Amino acid sequence: EMGIDIWEVIEAAKTKPFGFTPFYPGPGLGGHCIPIDPYYLSWKAREYGLSTRFIELAGEINHAMPGHVVKRCVEALNETGKPVKGSRILLLGLAYKSDVDDCRESPTFEVMEKLKNLGAEIDYFDSHVPEVPLTREHSNWAGLKSVQWDEGFIRACDAVVILTDHNGVDYAQLSEWAPLVVDTRNAMERSDISSGKIWKA
């Protein structure tokens, strides 16, 4: 890794006085259209002998992001002397973007699967999605309920991973209660919270 903070890069780019629209990274793509529709264009372009390398490259990078998040979780836990196996990890946000109740194609599902496969105990908190609905690809999580926003519960977790930056979350409380935070949305810094126990992913 080059040690470049993408959030600092975006803030610097935003100083351009015109012609710039910021786009922010996250743990992967979700929703009902963006993860799928570009591939229709790519498929159609191939019928005409056209190359859509940027669409396919973007897809590869987006598809790799949940794995990157899990890698950062493992690194963060290792720094505290804990293996991921047996660790209790709270995933903050099941919806695919902030302040909605739509979890179609949410990257949180893939993060859940990967961490569970590594032996972690997984819970999630999302006031917009109180229960995991039945989905085609992640039916094994159907019926799982969001935990309550509770100091004792959060303090008992080994790590909290911010995957969706809902505006109703009290990030100052989270910083105080959680022993370790892995932040994929820069939510903590945007809330003016800095701490040695916050890892960016």
Side-chain angles (χ1 to χ4, degrees):
E1 292 195 22
M2 296 174 67
I4 297 171
D5 186 333
I6 186 63
W7 302 99
E8 288 182 17
V9 173
I10 292 170
E11 285 304 306
K14 281 166 65 175
T15 62
K16 182 181 176 187
F18 59 87
F20 175 76
T21 301
F23 293 93
Y24 298 102
L29 278 182
H32 59 90
C33 56
I34 298 298
I36 299 162
D37 290 356
Y39 293 106
Y40 292 135
L41 176 59
S42 185
W43 167 75
K44 194 66 177 173
R46 275 196 297 275
E47 286 187 6
Y48 291 87
L50 300 173
S51 171
T52 56
R53 286 179 300 198
F54 278 111
I55 291 174
E56 287 156 23
L57 177 60
E60 287 175 28
I61 292 168
N62 288 327
H63 185 70
M65 285 309 297
H68 170 72
V69 171
V70 170
K71 178 175 175 276
R72 290 294 284 167
C73 289
V74 171
E75 291 170 348
L77 284 165
N78 280 346
E79 279 294 309
T80 65
K82 294 178 186 277
V84 68
K85 186 174 183 178
S87 287
R88 188 175 204 174
I89 300 176
L90 177 64
L91 304 182
L92 194 59
L94 185 64
Y96 80 90
K97 68 177 182 177
S98 62
D99 302 330
V100 303
D101 63 359
D102 191 346
C103 58
R104 286 177 288 179
E105 305 294 327
S106 173
T108 299
F109 284 117
E110 196 170 343
V111 173
M112 290 167 91
E113 297 280 357
K114 288 179 180 299
L115 287 171
K116 184 180 179 187
N117 289 342
L118 289 173
E121 297 174 25
I122 301 298
D123 287 290
Y124 84 96
F125 171 80
D126 193 320
S127 58
H128 295 273
V129 187
E131 182 175 331
V132 178
L134 182 63
T135 62
R136 185 178 67 249
E137 293 183 355
H138 305 286
S139 59
N140 54 317
W141 295 101
L144 181 67
K145 291 182 176 15
S146 169
V147 300
Q148 298 298 309
W149 188 257
D150 176 77
E151 180 177 0
F153 184 89
I154 292 173
R155 285 189 185 278
C157 291
D158 294 300
V160 177
V161 185
I162 302 172
L163 294 159
T164 312
D165 51 342
H166 292 309
N167 286 313
V169 171
D170 189 330
Y171 294 105
Q173 268 186 349
L174 179 65
S175 174
E176 182 185 338
W177 297 346
L180 178 67
V181 177
V182 178
D183 186 359
T184 74
R185 300 286 187 172
N186 207 36
M188 302 301 267
E189 191 163 306
R190 285 189 284 116
S191 300
D192 291 324
I193 298 164
S194 61
S195 166
K197 64 183 179 181
I198 299 169
W199 282 58
K200 291 184 181 183

